[in-house]
Each structure stands twice: as structure tokens, then as C-alpha cells.
Amino acid sequence: MIVRIDFNSDEAIYVQLCNQIILGIAAAQLRDGDSLPSVRELADDIGINMHTVNKAYGILRQEGYLKLDRRKGAVVALDYDKLEAVAKLKAQLRVIMARAICKDISRDEIHQAVDQIYDEFL
């Protein structure tokens, strides 16, 4: 998996890194049990601070995407409660939908966008 960080983005680097790893898991570029590079290795490869990678890995662990093991490092380990995941998704979508409505994006356009994005992961 190739991680692309936009250093000119307003989005924090650790957030971009989290999102890139989640996208990699969703696209099956990373699978349950796959090891990720060490904090130091990934930081060197991308050209960012080790603490930034450590923060991203910590967040991904809290959110149930990774397991951190002293011997193996960061490992993809999907641990989730589906009901909780759906509740979080709805909360995030509520804000996205509100933004779309403010921009006069129709229900059909939203459905088309969701279907298109979902199909990209299949």
C-alpha cells in the first residue's frame, strides 16, 4: 500500500495517515493480520515525525482497526461492534448530508455518489 500525504492540505497529517490506512483496508490492499511498517520506518518513508505516525497508529487502535504488539508492531486487526459502527457512521453522515443540502445537492445525487464510492471498494 502506498501512503500519499498532502503536505499542503489543511487536514492534519495524522488524520490523512489514518484515512489512507482505512482506505487501504476497505480496498483490500491491507487485510486482517497484515503487519504495517514500524513507526520509525513509516515516518522515514513518508518524511514525517515519528510522533505523528505513533498518534495515527494509536487512533486506529482505539477505533478498532489495528492491534499494537510489542513484538509484531502494528497489525491490522479489525475489532468492531457493528451497532456502534453504524451509529458512528450515521453521526458522521448527518454532518455530510447537512453540508450537501446547504450546497443544494439532491437526494438522488447523494445516492449516486454513495453508490459510486461504495462500488469502488468492491
Side-chain angles (χ1 to χ4, degrees):
M1 184 184 100
I2 297 172
V3 176
R4 291 185 176 89
I5 300 297
D6 180 358
F7 293 99
N8 296 317
S9 174
D10 290 336
E11 189 170 50
I13 292 173
Y14 76 91
V15 173
Q16 291 183 55
L17 183 55
C18 286
N19 291 342
Q20 290 286 309
I21 291 170
I22 291 169
L23 288 168
I25 294 168
Q29 294 172 338
L30 293 169
R31 299 183 190 280
D32 206 21
D34 285 352
S35 292
L36 294 178
S38 70
V39 169
R40 183 181 308 272
E41 183 181 350
L42 188 55
D44 287 346
D45 287 348
I46 300 173
I48 61 176
N49 190 294
M50 286 180 12
H51 297 293
T52 303
V53 176
N54 197 41
K55 184 173 185 173
Y57 279 7
I59 290 168
L60 291 168
R61 182 192 56 78
Q62 285 178 323
E63 292 181 355
Y65 294 100
L66 299 181
K67 179 176 71 173
L68 301 178
D69 184 291
R70 289 181 188 243
R71 293 172 287 136
K72 297 179 183 178
V75 177
V76 176
L78 300 176
D79 177 25
Y80 61 92
D81 172 343
K82 189 167 183 175
L83 292 176
E84 182 181 335
V86 169
K88 286 181 180 180
L89 173 66
K90 284 182 178 180
Q92 293 169 342
L93 282 174
R94 183 166 281 110
V95 174
I96 292 169
M97 295 292 185
R99 290 180 178 182
I101 290 167
C102 289
K103 300 292 184 178
D104 199 30
I105 298 173
S106 72
R107 176 187 297 254
D108 287 339
E109 290 170 317
I110 292 170
H111 281 276
Q112 288 172 0
V114 169
D115 289 342
Q116 179 186 0
I117 293 167
Y118 191 88
D119 289 344
E120 290 173 7
F121 292 106
L122 300 178

